[in-house]
């Protein structure tokens, strides 16, 4: 049992997560200039995004649509009226001295994100999701003893998703954040790549004695930059808080940053409260009102979500949660699987071939799933041919590999390499030839030495290059040996 599990025997963990997802709109949250990742520093700016005097914000409608999509996806309340507020703080990457965010009237409140952890389902409650603008990016070069600011990201649109303090384990927190990435990928509002800074999260943590009602004092770890580090950062903070409390000390409300090199969370500052930010309604941006019909039509346009696929497959196909979650991992895989099932392939079989053969090929090439490498209808056909023993499972695997590695059609692969030729007349010819070449063995077999069947089987399989199923060869052989 590791340290965390040991602590968990006597202490409850209370975790709340804040996830920032960058919305992939063409232009920024409050201006028309664009943001794309990885451009030369300070080339994607405009008066509004660097806070020049007199520059006024105007709201990006697409970002609002995206927030509505997210709200719909997690079954939250999407408010037809909401407003923006200024959140004040000083930092070199925040040129206006305030960030435009939402405070008391966010666009989305409530909602639920279903996750699987250890084959059990948990409905993680959200507090809210609000729109805001991103800050620029500061880089501190300790070796050169300087800092640099890049304002490209300044003003990029973000949605901040906040959970209730309902997560109970570092692994569960990691799974939750992966789920958020998956959901925003499904609804195509962000690629949410952590390496590109397009998904960033803060973890709020407190611990309390098992069963205690009152929450302990929380701390917040900022800037966690990978899924693995979400778990590690929370674990390290649980250990630190546990040590303090075991020593009779107190946890102080604080913000920490995750230090990648040292593998620990370091205290950055004793935490501010909401009042410290002097939030107030942004006078440049009047409250927004959107029609209910617009909200409804955006919600109607949502695709099936990963947890919806999972529930359906678990209920209708008897899948285990693990199996369902793998197939629902991306929307492309989910649709691919559903398409194969539509060709009358049994769901179990479709799942086995996709997660077995097909995933193996993508893994070998270290590339993400691409539905065009092996078309669903082709894989469905191969599964059918293999199930009905028109070709062997081995041949089917070979053909999948050839489809994957070439642009040839399935029919040309099957005919060029004569995968089907060996089934009917051809297999009869091969058997005839083998029997003719081994007259003595045939006589001995007919005189009762039935174990010679495997001798013939071997010969025929060799001649047919493994392309004909064991069952068909043995049927045909038995027929020929016993009848003539
Ligand atoms: P703040 O004002 O510090 O931002 P909030 O109440 O808005 O605090 O909560 C921020 C996040 O912290 C939310 O995800 C919330 O669920 C979580 N949280 C609140 N209280 C606790 C606690 N005692 N332990 C752990 N997480 C908490
Ligand atoms: Mg906070």
């Amino acid at each position: 049992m590791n340290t965390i599990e040991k602590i968990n025997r006597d202490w409850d963990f209370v975790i709340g997560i804040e996830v920032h997802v960058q919305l992939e709109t063409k232009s920024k949250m409050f201006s028309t200039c664009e943001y794309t990742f990885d451009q030369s520093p300070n080339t994607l700016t405009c008066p509004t995004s660097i806070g020049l005097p007199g520059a006024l914000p105007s709201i990006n409608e697409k970002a609002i649509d995206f927030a509505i999509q997210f709200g719909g996806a997690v079954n939250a309340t999407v408010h037809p009226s909401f407003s923006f507020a200024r959140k004040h703080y000083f930092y070199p990457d925040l040129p206006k001295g305030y960030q435009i965010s939402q405070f008391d009237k966010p666009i989305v409140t409530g909602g639920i994100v279903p996750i699987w952890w250890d084959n059990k389902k948990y409905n993680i409650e959200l507090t809210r999701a609000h729109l805001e603008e991103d800050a620029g990016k500061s880089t501190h070069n300790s070796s050169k003893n300087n800092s640099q600011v890049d304002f490209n990201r300044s003003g990029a649109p973000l949605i901040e998703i906040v959970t209730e303090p309902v997560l109970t384990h570092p692994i569960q927190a990691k799974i939750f954040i992966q789920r958020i990435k998956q959901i925003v990928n499904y609804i195509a509002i962000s690629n949410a790549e952590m390496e590109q800074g397009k998904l960033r999260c803060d973890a709020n943590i407190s611990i309390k004695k098992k069963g205690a009602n009152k929450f302990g004092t929380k701390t917040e770890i900022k800037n966690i930059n990978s899924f693995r580090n979400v778990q590690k950062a929370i674990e390290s903070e649980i250990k630190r808080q546990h040590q303090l409390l075991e020593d009779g000390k107190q946890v102080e409300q604080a913000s920490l940053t995750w230090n990648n090199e040292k593998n620990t969370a370091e205290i950055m500052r004793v935490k501010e409260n909401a009042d410290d930010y002097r939030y107030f309604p942004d006078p440049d941006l009047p409250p927004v009102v959107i029609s209910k019909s617009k909200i409804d039509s955006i919600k109607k346009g949502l695709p099936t979500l990963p947890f919806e696929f999972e529930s359906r497959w678990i209920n209708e196909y008897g899948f285990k949660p693990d199996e369902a979650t793998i197939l629902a991992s991306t929307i492309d895989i989910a649709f691919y699987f559903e398409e194969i099932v539509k060709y009358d392939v049994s769901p179990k079989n479709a799942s086995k071939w996709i997660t077995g053969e097909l995933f193996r090929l993508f893994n070998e090439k270290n590339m993400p799933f691409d539905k065009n490498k092996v078309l669903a209808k082709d894989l469905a056909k191969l599964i059918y041919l293999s199930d009905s023993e028109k070709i062997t499972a081995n041949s089917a695997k070979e053909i999948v590999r050839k489809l994957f590695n070439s642009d040839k059609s399935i029919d040309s692969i099957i005919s060029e390499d004569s995968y089907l030729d060996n089934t009917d007349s051809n297999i009869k010819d091969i058997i005839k030839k083998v029997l003719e070449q081994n007259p003595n063995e045939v006589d001995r077999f007919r005189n009762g030495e039935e174990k010679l069947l495997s001798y013939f089987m071997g010969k025929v399989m060799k001649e047919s290059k493994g392309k004909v199923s064991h069952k068909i060869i043995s049927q045909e052989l038995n027929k020929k040996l016993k009848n003539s």
Side-chain angles (χ1 to χ4, degrees), residues 14-18 127 161-166 202-207 215-220 253 271-274:
V14 177
I15 303 164
I17 299 286
E18 297 161 80
T127 312
I161 301 152
V162 184
T163 75
E164 290 290 294
V166 289
D202 307 333
N204 298 269
I205 301 143
S206 67
I207 66 173
F215 284 169
T217 305
K218 76 172 161 78
T219 58
E220 177 177 18
Q253 180 173 314
K271 172 83 168 124
E272 60 291 313
N273 287 310

Side-chain angles (χ1 to χ4, degrees), residues 307-325:
F307 38 85
E308 292 168 343
F309 278 128
E310 289 160 5
S311 303
R312 191 157 90 208
W313 300 336
I314 289 169
N315 293 333
E316 288 178 17
Y317 302 156
F319 279 9
K320 297 239 161 58
D322 278 354
E323 194 172 10
T325 48

